[in-house]
Each structure stands twice: as C-alpha cells, then as structure tokens.
Amino acid sequence: MLRVSRRPKFVRYSALSVFLNGLSGNANWRPAWRTPQPKPHYDVVIVGGGGHGLATAYYLAKEFGVTNVAVVEKGYLGSGNVGRNTTIIRSNYLLDGNNPFYELSMKLWEGLEQDFNFNAMVSQRGVLNLYHSDAQRDAFTRRGNAMRLHGVDAELLDRDAVRRMLPFLDFDNARFPIQGGLLQPRGGTVRHDAVAWGYARGADMRGVDVIQECEVTGIRRENGDAVGVETSKGFIGCGKLALAAAGNSSRVAEMAGLRLPIESHVLQAFVSEGLKPFIDCVVTFGAGHFYVSQSDKGGLVFGGDLDGYNSYAQRGNLAAVEHVVEAGKAMIPALSRVRLLRSWGGVVDMSMDGSPIIDRTPVGNLYLNAGWCYGGFKATPASGFCFAHLIARNEPHPTTRQMRLDRFARGRVIDERGAGAQPNLH
Amino acid sequence: MASLVPCPHCGSRPKEEFTIKGAALRRPAPDAPADAWLRYVYERANPRGRHEEYWHHTSGCRRWLVVTRDTASHEIEACRDAALTSAGGRA
Amino acid sequence: MTSYRLASGGLVDRQSSLRFSFDGRSFAGYSGDSLASALLANGQRLAGRSFKYHRPRGILTAGAAEPNALVTVGRGGRTEPNTRATMQELYDGLEARSQNRWPSLGFDIGSLNGLLSPFLGAGFYYKTFMWPAHLWERLYEPFVRRAAGLGRATYEADPDTYEKCWAHCDLLVVGAGATGLAAALAAGRAGARVVLVDEHPIPGGGLLSDSATIDGIAAPDFARQAVAELATMPNVEVLVRTTAFGWYDDNVFGAVERVQKNIRQPSASAPVERLWRIVARRALLATGAEERPLVFGGNDRPGVMMASAARAYLNRYGVAFGRTAGVFTTNDAGYALARDLEAAGVDVAAVVDTRADTNFAWTGKARVIPGAFVSDALGGKSLSGIRVWKDGATETIAVDALAMSGGFNPVIHLACHRGGKPVWSDEHAAFLAPPRLKGLALAGAAAGRAGIAVCLEDGVAAAASILSELGFAARPAKLGEVAGDIVAGPTPPVWRVPGVTGKAFVDFQNDVTSKDIGLAVQEGYGHVELAKRYTTNGMATDQGKLSNVNAIGLLAEARGVSPAEIGTTTFRPFYTPVSFGALTGAAHGHHFQPARKSPLHGWAARHGARFVETGLWYRSSWFPRAGETTWRESVDREARNVRQNVGLCDVSMLGKIELCGADVAEFLNRVYCNAFAKLPVGKARYGLMLREDGMIFDDGTTSRIGESRFYMTTTTALAAGVMNHLEFCAQALWPELDVQLSSVTDEWAQMAVAGPKSRLVLQKIVDDDISNDAFPFLAAREVSLFGGQLHGRLFRISFSGELAYELAVPAGYGESVGDALMEAGQEHGIQPYGVEALTVLRIEKGHITHSEINGTVVPADLGLGRMVSSAKPDFIGKHMLSREGLTATDRPQLVGVEPLDPRTSFRSGAHILAKGAAATLENDQGYVTSSCFSPHVGSTIGLALVKRGAERHGEEILVWNGLRGEFTPGRLRDPVFLDPEGERLHA
C-alpha cells in the first residue's frame, strides 16, 4: 500500500499548479500554513506575526538552520503595519548607519518572490522625491551621492526631466514650483499583505509554528534572563525571545522591565477609488506631506504626515486627512475630482532619532527589533534577515552595527533628518 | 480629543491650532546624574492609556498646556496651563 | 428603445424634460430623476462591466451602495470617474460614459476572462506570474494594470472651487427618513440647535419610495410637510445632498455637501462641494438599513435588482424595472414590492419566498412559492428567466426582471469609525452598532427596527432621551397613524442558496463569488480580515456595503460557527468616497500655503528683484540690471559692490522676538549655550541655541535695548520654531522667571547696510553719531532718523564681514526708508543685493546658516566650541554634550574647500573623498554644505563638514559628485576665505 504523503499535492505555486488546480475545481489547494497549538518550548519565540516577525522566522529557518521556532501573534497574520502601509520600497537613505541596511533590503526584495515562492508583486516602478528649492536640491544631492557611494541607483532630475516623466504635476501654477527631483529607479511598490503571507507560508513549510490569536501577556525571567512568554494560550518557554512588535514595542518591552526610546504614533494612509493607470511611479511631494503610487488594482495609495500625538488607536483625525489631501492636490491639481475611498491608521514605533533598533537588550536572551517609524515595510526582508542573524549568531549583521539600543546614551544617534529627540518630527 | 482641545484660556479649539511636543516630563535638576538626563531626553514610558503631554496653542493664546489624554481612546481628561502645573517647573 | 416610464406616479416633474447622453447616445429624462432612473426609464439596463471578468452589469440599487452602475460624467477638468448613476442627479446636458470596457459596453473583449475563471480564483495572482522574474514589471503587471481600474481620471485641472466650514450643534441627525425627520422635528421644537443631513437631494429617505400613508397623507407628502416645518425653525439647519462620511474624536463629523453637482455649468460664485466639520454635542444616526442581496447563480445579471431599489424606481421615479418581474425574498419586503408593482400594472410572475412557513397574507395575483429559492438567474446581457429550486426540484419561470431581498443590514458605518466593534444579533439577524457609544445613538432601521410607525416613534424617543440629557424640555409629540405599511421584520438569514449552478456573486464590483470565499477558508485565510484581503471582498468602491455581511455569513457557514464569532472587518471613513477637491477647499494652487511678503517687498520689486520662495516668504534673490544675461553676473556685481562700496539687503524675514522682564538676561543665559547674563545695555551679541540633545538648534544675535528689554533675531527658517521653544522654556520650564515674549517679525522692516561706505550712507539719515568710537562693532541702540521724524533700531553687526549695520524701522516705514537709503547712497554707489549675494558674502567669511546647522552638529563641529560656557550650571543642551559620540575625534568639522584648479568647480551636496581613495561609503569623509563662485577669490569656494576637518587644512581631496559625474580635485582649508583677522569689520 502506498504511503499517503503528508505533503500537499501542489505545494509549489506556479502557473502549472494554478492550471491543474483550476481543472479540478480548485478543490485541492491546501492551507497556506498550519494552525498549530503552541508547544511547551521552542529554541526561539518571536513576538509579533507581522512582516518583520514572520521574515525573521523565515530566515532563521532557511538561512540559519533554526527551525524550532514559534511566531506568536495577538491578532491575525499581518494584522499590524505590514497590512497598513503605503507599500513603498526604496533604499534612498543618507547615513551610513541606514543606507547599507536598506540596500540589503532592496536586494532581498529583488529576489524575494522566487525565494519564497509567492507573488508579492514586487514592482520596481521608481521612487521620485521632488525638490522645490536650492536647499532641497542640495540636500538631495548629498543624499544621492551617499547612495551612489554605496552603489545604490540615484539620479538627479531637473525640472524638464520631471515634466517629461510626470507632465501632470503642477508646474505652472504652484505655490512652490517644482525644480526637479531625486529618482531611485529601483524603488517601487510591493503588495503588502502578500509579504506577510509569503513569509508565513515559507516559514511554516520549514517547520516554524505560526500561532495566531495568541496574545503575549507577560515575559518570564529567571536570573535576569528571559525564559518564555505568558500568553493567552498558556506559557511558552524559549531559549531566546525576540520582540518584533513595532507599534507596541514599548508595551512588550515593559513586560521585561525595559523602557525604550520610542513613542507610539498614529500614521494614516489612504486609497482612492480604482482608476485606469494614472501614475506609474511613486512620487513624493517636497513642499508638503504627500506621497502617492497606484496599486495594480487601480487605487491611488497615498499618505502623509503623522497625526502628531501619541496613539495606540489605529485611527486618526480629519485635520491630518485634510493636510495630506491639500498637499496632494497642490502636487497634482487633477486629483481634485478623484475621490478618496478609505482611510486607515497604523500605530508606528517612532524612535527618538527616526531610525530603527536591532539589538540585544540588557535582559539576557531578549532580542529587540523596534523603532521602525514609518519606514518598516521597505525594511521587512533585511530586518528579518539581520534579526535572524543576530539571534542565531549572537552578533549583529554588518549592516545593523549602528542600530544599537545604547546609541542614545553614547551620543551615536542615526538622525537622517537632524530633527533631534522629538519623535513626531522625524 | 485629537479633534478638539479644551484650552483653559480659549475654550474648545480645533487640533490644527496646536503644536504637540510630547510627554510632559519634569526637567532634571542641573546637577542631576547623566542617566537622569538620558531618561529625560530619550526614554519614554509610552503608555497605552493615560498620558500627560505638552501641547502648545500656537495659533491661539500661545500658551503651553499640559494635556492629560488617553492614548487609546483619545479622550482628554484635563488640560491645564503648563506654568500652573508641577510637571515642567522645577519644584 | 421602449420606455419603462409609467404613465403616472413618482416624484419626478414630468413637465420638465432633460436631455442627457450615455456612451454618446442621447436620451431624455425628467427633473427629479437620477441618472440611473432615467437610464432604466429608457430601457438601458446594461450600465457597466465588472472588474475581473468584465461581466455585463445593470443597476442594482437606488442609492449609495451601488456597486455596478459606475459611470464617468462630465468632460475636461470636470471629468468624474466612478460616479454612481444611482446618486447622480439628472441635469440637462449631462454626459455619462460607461467604464472598464473595450471596445464597447455591449461587446467587451475583457469578458473572455470569464472563460478563464477556473484559473482566476481568489488570490490566483499570488501563485503565478513569478517566472521569469523580470517579466513581472515588463509583461504581466502592465497587462494587469490596464485590465484593472475602473474609470479614467482626467489630467486637467479642475476649474471649479471648493470651500470648508464648521458647524456647531446640540444634535446632529444623520439621515432624513422617517426616523431622522421625527427626531429633528422633536429636537427642533424643543429649541435645540439641530443639523439634519441627508445624502439625497430630497429629504424623506424610504418615505419617498413608500406607498404607505401617515394620517392619511402619502408618505412622500408627509416628509415634505415635516421638512417645511423644519424650514421655519431658525435653530434647525437641513443640509441635503450632504453625506456625513466620518465620525472623528470629540464628536466631530466630517460631511460633504454637493452644492453644484446637479448642474452642467456650475456658477463661479459658489463652490461645487463644501466640506463641513460638524461639532455635535450629540449625534443620532437615522441612517436606515441596507438590503442584503441573495447569493445565487447569475445574481449579477442585468435585470436583477434589490427589492427596495425596484420599489424606489417604481414609487419615487415612476419607472418599472421590468415588464414581467420575479421576486426572491427571505422576508416581507418582497411582498411590499410585489403589491406596489401589481398596483402599477406590472406583471409579477412569482414571489419566491425562502420561508416554507411564510404566513404573509398575500392577496395579489402573483404566484407565491414558499420554501423555494432562485438558484440561477438566466440570460445573457439581460435577464430572461429564473430557475426556481424547491425541495430539490427546479422549474424555470420566464421573467425579465428579478427583485431580491435577503433581509436588512442596519447602516452602522459611522458608529464604528472610532474603534467600536459591531455586535451580531441573532434576534435582528444582523450586525448592530457597538454598545455604549459616547455622544452617539442610533434609531429606527439603523438600530435594527422596522416599519414606518416604529421608526417615527423611535426617532421621537431617541430625540427625547438626548434632549433630556442636554437639558432641553421635549414637548409631547403626536405620532401619525400609519396605514398600508408592509413591515419587513427580521427573518432568518439565507447565506447559501441551494441548487446553484452559475457564478454566485458576493461582491459584485470585485467579482468575488461564494466559491472564492470557500477557497479562502480552504487555504487558511478564514479570518474575516484575511478573507477580505485574499479575495478582495468588500474592497471595492462600495466598501462592502452589500457584500460584507454575506461574506461573513458564508465564512461562518464554512467554518461552522456563528457570524458573531466571525465578526466584521473594520469600518473606516469614508462612508462614501469624498473628493480631493472637497477635502482641499480653497487651499490649492497659489493658495496652497499663505504667502509672506516683507515690508520691503514693493521696494525690492521696484528695483527689479527676482523673488524666490523661502519657506512661506518671497525673498529677493538678486537684482538684475540691463545687459546682465545670467544670474551669476548680477550676483557677482552685487557681492563685489558690497566689498567695494555699499549694498542694501532686505533682512526683514529674520525672526524677531522682543523679550521683556526682570529676568530676561538670566533666561537668555539658559537658552543660549554662551554667556548672556552680563550683556550690557546697548550691545548686541551673537548666540548659539542648542537643543536638549546638545545639537545646535539656531543662531542669531540678541541685543540689549534696555535694562529689561531685549531684541532677538533668529534665522528665517526657524523663526517660528525658536519662538515656540522660548515660550516653552518660559512657560513650562521656568515659569518663575519674569520674562515676556512677543514675536515682532512683522512689526519691523530690517535692512542690512553693508560695505566700507555704509557708515557714510547711514550717517546721512541717522541723527545720532555713528562714528566708530560712538557706535563701535556690536553696538545696538535706538536711533533717531531724519531729524527726529522717525525712530529705529540700529545694530552694528555684519554677516558679510564688512563694516555693516542692520537698521530696523517700523514696518510701515520700510519702503520709504529703503528709498531714502538708496538716495543717500547714490553718491557712494549703493546697490540693492539679494539673498544670493548675501550667501556669497557669508561663505567667503565662513559664516554658517542652516546648511551647516543641519541638526546633527554640536558647536565644536563648527569651530564654535569655545562659545560653550563651562561656567554656567545649566543651559538647554548642556547635559547631553559630554556624551562620547559628541566629543569623539572623528566627528565632522567645518572646513573650507577650494578647487585645485580655479577654473574647475563643484557643488553643494558633493561628498569629500581622500585623495586616491576608492569611492565607497566607507571612505566617505564628509560633504560640501555650501558653495558659490567667489568673485573675490576668483573661483568656486565651499564650506564642508569633514571628518577631523580642523586638522586637515591643506590636504588635497576629491570633491566627488557621482550623481552629476563631476569629480573635482580640491583642497581643504580654513573656512574663512577673506579677511581672517576681521579688520574690515572694525573699520
């Protein structure tokens, strides 16, 4: 008698598998991941089943051979910011504490779908930052050159070049005329939810337990070391505990007695009604808070500034909506008759210098991945990869050496904007 | 509250008239140890719930206010002039 | 095309005929029609194509939830895609076009997708299009993008205007149906300030479509009378065509009023849309209920319609939705429609009632089939019949129209915008609003109640309860006697219809079928939020108004749990989509931000200034003269003239702050890092302000005008920031200090008079002795001008490094004093100079601006370490300055840069590499912060922040600008290029 294979029939996603399953009424598709009950103990428990937590689990299993791993998520998979952002990826960073890390992320994005066998619609449509003054041009020149020095693609466009690319921007009646822009051609967008799903499926296939609707309520410490988490599904012991709960980092870290250089803020994002192709690349306004791209489904996806106050509410207020929309129409007057379909809010970890933290903590066996501000999505692959590196090898990946928790005490902040220790200015 | 702020001087006013600084922490004494200053400048309790913070009525009376607000519900519990609270002043 | 307009009836004005076009064909309708009703009246059933399979779609609803009949209206800059035909009022000359079809609505190539549907199930695109990788952007994605999307937006600017306003009220009533009208009347009569908003052009809601009577008056007439009474109340405002789209903190509601969307050529004297921000002490949602579709095969075929919509077209618009109708219902609403249809002479072939035990006393002609289901709607682009399933047997009935009613979902959208979760009620067979909402209540059908009488009663009761909370005395109201109302109370929901063979749609617009929902569960996406994201159910322009609850029901069935356990996805603004224009109001184009102009703006303009936007300011950049062909020529001349003769520059944009009080000196001592306690009266001092983290915040001069009166200038960029900061320090940190602050930026016109001949010029208008002895460097005093006609403030300070002054006069005198100085300076060769020449002059002197104060430098980085007082026990920033990273030897330091070959050049933003070093980020030594052509040095010069720069003067480096392909060998040097001893300053 044949042994019944435990592997699903068409485990690998491909045009062929879609075709064959289609012929059989799609009745044979298996769950993309299991629904496991937690085991009493894992080598690594990751708190947070968002993009970063799932990516960490995926790379731990795939690249570092650590497979006895659980990801615990208080809601559903990807219920945090991985499903609430404006889907932009880019590596146009200025400082050497950030730039190599985000470029690593970009390189991982570029091979991601084939790597985890899930179409996340990585689309390198270009990211263009507009400038409206000599000072902005000079700042972009500085940044573009920093990118070039690290081998990152960057192009400085003048007004005519921007006009050729996006003739419908307000060139003729603007309060702050567009002078040009800094373009990263490899920047673009990714279908955000699919990133969480792809990593979850890839991690699950390699033995990681992804446990949804499992809220962490406490961190158990023995002799100063973290040894496990109390959860809504009982205690789960672990050799190493990794926090990847951006938005709620402060609350989780507090369970281990840590106070972080982080405030939680709400950032709103928006989508318009579906339109036929309207704008091809990602554009960022330089004279107000507005960035926009168009999804494959046709909606204009856009965002702007933080509401500005500490919040855990995942919803913002009308004043911030108006602020963003005004900037949008200032940049593209023709948006006037386009309608906003939906607004939503995500709670982001705003760190005190605007840059993330991937580091060990003063608590033994406790690892921290936090402080992503509103840049977390684009960082997902590198964040997972580098956090996995840190957890597995107990030493930072070369690109995250500056992303230390003690950098504030040491005076080694990574402050791209030079805004100082006020999170809502970053 | 994050739509309207009950300014003690001007009454209920829209949020867009205000500038938000962040947590209302007491500034350490000049001779306080370095870690006290580090906590003041960089570390935040960041609670989910009751939070005291500095708001400036920039497009109004230009007074700094200490707003006690819930970070989950956004409800404002109190709003006082900063000069009249002990949060900022050196006691 | 045959007419479906009934001979009589409806609220349309048959005397007023309107012409309109659809896809280029001309039609006629009546005033009072919606575009949808006019299309139906003309027999135009096919209204659009679906998103994925491009299936032909007709008009499904008569209201805001319409998922199918989305059209593009208008032309040019007034083009509006995705307009719901059901909400668009008909006007004469309306042009509408169908969307998402090619080449035509009738024949759409995209409908071939339907044949591929076995392979296009939920989320199929996540599983394919991955190989080879580069083909995604080049081939697959462009195809997907072209096929997706709905209407096409214009690239033309909008010719119309918008505005915003606030409203404050005791009670906001959303929805002017029976419930809302009753509540508004009760509150209005009690004297409360009431705002009543309704999204339709005529208040009345469901009353407008009902054949019931109230006190013997037809329901629409009852609504009209109620509105007439409300119109007499000065304390009540009724806003029609106004959609409340969001509920925000503190009971603030966003609403948008479509002021001129019902006319072809809007008047320029009024906005087309108006954004309302309504601050309500209390709000009552009387938003009614949305009828649930039924999920059966071909339920999307043109001719299938919601029963309530069919009734609205019949009773309100006088349009029959077909000639021979079928009704498929789970509740009594189907009978109300069947009765009205028969009364209007429309043949009803069958009422298919899912309830085997229905006890509705049907007296009409139509055949009632209890315990039966419509398993499939048959036909092509139009409905031709239905297959009825009863106990496993099927029969086909010929109909050309089918109305469906699967029960009712209370419209609770707004009530869920602030985080509350809807609650499933088995009793109501629906989700109800979250419990314990603060400041907001629901009544009538929005609260799960049914029937006109109940709604009237509920509206009055809800208003009474709110009024008593607010301290108003509600007057007893007489409720009308309702007759002829068929009340559709709650019945068990039907999620899955038996016997289905065709595609059964849950989300019409996004083409999500019941099979897709099942596949989502099968593949592990069974959580309601995951199912939504995986299948896209509820993500179309109707945001799941029709589809969400059915999807939840199907998920619940598939997972074997109650809908209560499934829960809903999150309701978020906007209830219906809101335009960018409305949310922008008047803040667009040149009015995007306010413009600030210096008191000397006119003076500068008269001298031919080229202005540049600097923050909100317009600053004079340079003053071209005849014969000058490039800006550089003008700037070189202006800079040279300052060094040789004298120049006049408008510096009014500097932030200016007056500080008064006994403790100002102490206060300044704490906010500046350098000493200010002993600044003498009559003296100015340069000061550096730090942030608490030790980084430089801003710089400027502060002068002591009197013992307890000081005058501070800040940079232009941080004028507002410094003022806020000082107020914080004075009010929050040190309220015990006697310090009063006042921003006086706009009160003073300030002019820099700079150059070796500046004293000669100034002395001609200044009455006081300003000789070097009487008015030395850093003197700062009030002076008399023009023989005592005017007083101003004179400061001997210099940004150019020349003998220089800044003269401040009351703003209103700015232009005339500017003119007087030009006249006085004529013999000395005075010329105006702009911010470009100012920049050249300051770079030559190594003076810093926010190009160098970039938020990451401490005083020592800029060579200003000695300014930092070690004696003061406290100042802002002191306590963080000693951190290791801020004192490290590898920090960037300010240096000068010059090209080795003076004929070569470099630009700001270029990086510095050690000579011969590879161009890598690891080798990056710093960057050029400022650069210019120096007419005095005779080459490009620059300032830079370079690692250990102070000890590297003389080192040859490469100025690396890979971005522009410019690589300039250069040399680091002292940042002061001119007059290092400062002798010119003291002349």
Side-chain angles (χ1 to χ4, degrees), chain C residues 737-976:
Chain C
L737 296 183
D738 175 18
V739 177
Q740 304 301 323
L741 298 156
S742 182
S743 169
V744 295
T745 302
D746 294 329
E747 272 63 45
W748 296 96
Q750 195 150 319
M751 290 154 276
V753 185
K757 296 175 184 171
S758 57
R759 186 184 293 126
L760 296 173
V761 175
L762 267 174
Q763 189 68 78
K764 287 171 79 172
I765 69 160
V766 176
D767 304 331
D768 310 54
D769 177 8
I770 55 168
S771 67
N772 196 41
D773 292 339
F775 205 86
F777 182 57
L778 294 177
R781 283 206 295 273
E782 188 168 294
V783 293
S784 167
L785 304 167
F786 307 109
Q789 292 183 77
L790 184 64
H791 285 75
R793 288 173 178 178
L794 188 65
F795 311 92
R796 191 166 159 195
I797 52 180
S798 177
F799 201 40
S800 59
E802 298 296 324
L803 168 68
Y805 302 82
E806 286 186 15
L807 175 65
V809 298
Y813 290 95
E815 284 207 42
S816 50
V817 172
D819 289 341
L821 280 168
M822 291 304 289
E823 198 183 319
Q826 199 172 10
E827 57 174 309
H828 301 295
I830 196 168
Q831 293 178 11
Y833 67 102
V835 68
E836 289 293 338
L838 183 84
T839 299
V840 171
L841 297 166
R842 71 98 186 164
I843 294 174
E844 289 176 340
K845 286 296 294 178
H847 287 159
I848 55 172
T849 66
H850 277 285
S851 297
E852 288 73 36
I853 305 173
N854 64 14
T856 64
V857 293
V858 295
D861 300 339
L862 302 184
L864 302 172
R866 277 168 304 172
M867 284 182 71
V868 180
S869 166
S870 54
K872 294 195 284 186
D874 190 17
F875 58 84
I876 300 285
K878 176 184 170 79
H879 309 279
M880 288 281 111
L881 265 181
S882 52
R883 286 177 292 163
E884 171 261 323
L886 302 195
T887 55
T889 53
D890 62 346
R891 285 193 64 81
Q893 292 169 332
L894 185 73
V895 291
V897 191
E898 58 192 6
L900 292 187
D901 179 346
R903 291 167 302 181
T904 60
S905 171
F906 54 79
R907 303 179 207 238
S908 305
H911 284 237
I912 305 290
L913 293 174
K915 191 179 173 184
T920 65
L921 198 57
E922 293 72 33
N923 288 338
D924 189 16
Q925 299 296 297
Y927 75 105
V928 178
T929 57
S930 304
S931 67
C932 67
F933 179 82
S934 165
H936 306 97
V937 175
S939 77
T940 292
I941 60 170
L943 301 176
L945 285 164
V946 175
K947 284 180 187 170
R948 298 179 291 102
E951 58 190 64
R952 295 169 72 173
H953 294 178
E955 180 180 330
E956 286 186 18
I957 47 84
L958 182 68
V959 186
W960 191 91
N961 194 340
L963 199 57
R964 288 184 183 268
E966 297 170 354
F967 310 98
T968 315
R971 185 186 290 112
L972 303 182
R973 50 155 294 154
D974 186 278
V976 183

Side-chain angles (χ1 to χ4, degrees), chain A residues 114 123-124 278 337 340 408, chain C residues 130 137 141 155 160 883:
Chain A
Q114 291 69 33
S123 178
Q124 294 180 285
F278 182 81
R337 301 255 173 176
L340 284 76
F408 304 95
Chain C
M130 283 178 275
E137 278 105 331
E141 191 181 39
Y155 285 123
D160 295 324
R883 286 177 292 163

